[in-house]
Amino acid sequence: EIVLTQSPATLSLSPGERATLSCRASQSISSYLAWYQQKPGQSPRLLIYDASNRATGVPARFSGSGSGTDFTLTISSLEPEDFAVYSCQQRSDWPLTFGGGTKVEIK
Amino acid sequence: QVQLQESGPRLVKPSETLSLTCGVSGYSIGRGSYWGWMRQPPGKGLEWIGTISHSGTTYFNPSPTGRVIMSVDTSKNQLSLRLTSVTAADTAVYYCARHSNITPGRVGPFDIWGQGTVVTVSS
């Protein structure tokens, strides 16, 4: 099973600041990594797929990078609606796995 | 607009079977796609349970081992999940979601999610 480790667990930032979230895979997953945003009481929303492609309707302040085992989600300038939990997910191999999530909270 | 809606009992007794359905609107399952079930225990991360194709091919997470049954009903345009012999550890929000079709021969990421349904296992 491919284990995805996200760091940090919690990121405390202010609106307007830059957020950098990490997802590390236990083995190479090429670029088969997606990022999801989840707000309290809501279902996850696909933000980024295949490491760096924004999903439909996702603002340009969200960007993804990486390949192999190390991936990054960057939010260039945090908006109030961006404070949420972000999870990564790999589709390189079965079983599909998710990371434990990073909570981006208001400082 | 594609929408998914989970439904089923919110309370299940230990050792019994959890049964959920996922109604799909705005998209015909028979057209061909893959569909996943996930769950999220209180305060924890997402866990993939399994994936089923429109033709019924299934892929399961090794855990919960051997307790998952998934099916698709194209006539009703819905998916079903059954989890047998439940325990308190199966208490979670359960989601169904559609795999996007972006890579031929490989399931895509989950682009459409249901709102989720809370299931509590308790006597």
Side-chain angles (χ1 to χ4, degrees):
Chain A
E1 170 176 320
I2 297 172
V3 177
L4 297 179
T5 302
Q6 291 189 241
S7 62
T10 303
L11 198 52
S12 299
L13 295 169
S14 301
E17 289 193 296
R18 182 184 187 90
T20 304
L21 288 67
S22 173
C23 177
R24 177 165 292 177
S26 59
Q27 64 190 73
S28 178
I29 57 172
S30 184
S31 295
Y32 295 121
L33 187 94
W35 290 94
Y36 300 87
Q37 176 193 64
Q38 189 174 22
K39 298 179 182 179
Q42 296 186 16
S43 53
R45 170 197 179 195
L46 177 64
L47 292 179
I48 301 288
Y49 65 92
D50 291 354
S52 61
N53 298 285
R54 276 190 299 276
T56 302
V58 175
R61 63 181 181 273
F62 291 92
S63 64
S65 64
S67 67
T69 60
D70 291 303
F71 301 86
T72 301
L73 174 69
T74 301
I75 310 171
S76 60
S77 178
L78 284 163
E79 296 288 338
E81 63 268 26
D82 299 337
F83 292 91
V85 175
Y86 294 83
S87 300
C88 55
Q89 178 243 325
Q90 65 83 19
R91 64 183 183 99
S92 175
D93 199 5
W94 305 103
L96 306 181
T97 50
F98 289 86
T102 291
K103 181 181 181 180
V104 178
E105 65 176 22
I106 300 176
K107 186 174 181 179
Chain B
Q1 182 182 0
V2 182
Q3 292 185 315
L4 284 66
Q5 177 72 59
E6 303 90 347
S7 61
R10 289 177 170 261
L11 181 65
V12 182
K13 290 183 169 55
S15 80
E16 295 189 345
T17 296
L18 179 162
S19 296
L20 298 175
T21 60
C22 174
V24 180
S25 60
Y27 186 92
S28 174
I29 291 178
R31 284 176 53 187
S33 193
Y34 285 75
W35 308 84
W37 286 94
M38 274 66 63
R39 67 182 181 180
Q40 188 168 34
K44 296 188 177 180
L46 293 159
E47 177 186 29
W48 173 73
I49 300 171
T51 286
I52 187 167
S53 75
H54 68 286
S55 60
T57 302
T58 52
Y59 306 85
F60 294 121
N61 193 326
S63 171
T65 307
R67 296 194 292 126
V68 177
I69 302 167
M70 296 172 60
S71 62
V72 60
D73 187 334
T74 55
S75 65
K76 295 182 179 179
N77 218 41
Q78 68 181 30
L79 317 165
S80 295
L81 170 72
R82 297 182 69 206
L83 181 62
T84 62
S85 304
V86 297
T87 69
D90 295 310
T91 293
V93 178
Y94 285 76
Y95 296 98
C96 58
R98 186 185 74 172
H99 284 278
S100 61
N101 296 323
I102 60 173
T103 309
R106 183 186 294 272
V107 291
F110 298 104
D111 62 350
I112 307 292
W113 292 68
Q115 65 184 31
T117 188
V118 178
V119 179
T120 302
V121 178
S122 174
S123 54

